[in-house]
Amino acid sequence: MTELDFVDLTFVNFRDHSFPEGSAHGFRWVDLRSFCFPRGNQDRGLLAAVVAHDQFRDDCAGGGVDPAGTRHGPYWLRAVGPDGYQPVSRTETEQVLRQWAGQHGALPDSLEDALDTALFAVVNSASRLYRLRDLSSAVHDWSGVHIDFHEFIAIDDERQLLTLLVAADD
């Protein structure tokens, strides 16, 4: 099996930025987890390796990484595998993420800058992108905590870096 080495976690919390009074940006965030991989791996092996990694065992609702966890985002962990990811274009990825980020109105410049630096830089440098498809038949018992949940995997061959991108709310 492909070995991934966890490198870094970047977390962009919308609450860390000043929004106009009465805006509905609430409890939204972006979580990026980066992993190094050795050259010569096929994408399916990389997808399987990230799903098997301890850093993937996160309920994405404030519980953090739990090596014995059974949830990932709104889904039962057992339902998420490499076949759950489908190739997606850079254009579609950026469109989905920008629409999600701006769905409640304009973003403060500081948040736009943070998203450009942390999120969209990874999307733009990716050799390939994958999106977790809708697994609505595998939602867990308290999955309703997420209104929106978007998950992508960016594979950057030049830097030998795989980044798990989650944009969600709780």
Side-chain angles (χ1 to χ4, degrees), residues 43-142:
D43 287 1
R44 182 165 174 79
L46 292 172
L47 296 172
V50 75
V51 168
H53 201 282
D54 280 353
Q55 287 292 318
F56 194 82
R57 279 145 182 70
D58 190 330
D59 58 25
C60 301
V65 173
D66 177 2
T70 59
R71 296 172 181 85
H72 176 75
Y75 307 117
W76 290 111
L77 185 60
R78 66 180 178 267
V80 183
D83 292 335
Y85 292 90
Q86 56 196 21
V88 64
S89 71
R90 184 179 332 278
T91 302
E92 183 179 346
T93 301
E94 188 167 340
Q95 180 182 8
V96 166
L97 293 170
R98 287 199 187 278
Q99 182 178 1
W100 168 80
Q103 68 183 306
H104 298 297
L107 301 177
D109 290 344
S110 63
L111 180 54
E112 286 277 4
D113 291 345
L115 291 174
D116 284 345
T117 300
L119 177 62
F120 294 112
V122 170
V123 170
N124 289 327
S125 70
S127 305
R128 288 168 310 290
L129 293 154
Y130 290 87
R131 183 177 189 183
L132 182 62
R133 64 183 172 82
D134 179 19
L135 301 173
S136 56
S137 63
V139 296
H140 60 68
D141 50 346
W142 48 267

Side-chain angles (χ1 to χ4, degrees), residues 27-31 60 100 146 148-150 166-170:
F27 301 97
R28 295 176 340 124
W29 46 266
V30 176
D31 182 301
C60 301
W100 168 80
H146 295 102
D148 290 309
F149 184 86
H150 302 284
V166 175
D169 53 51
D170 57 23

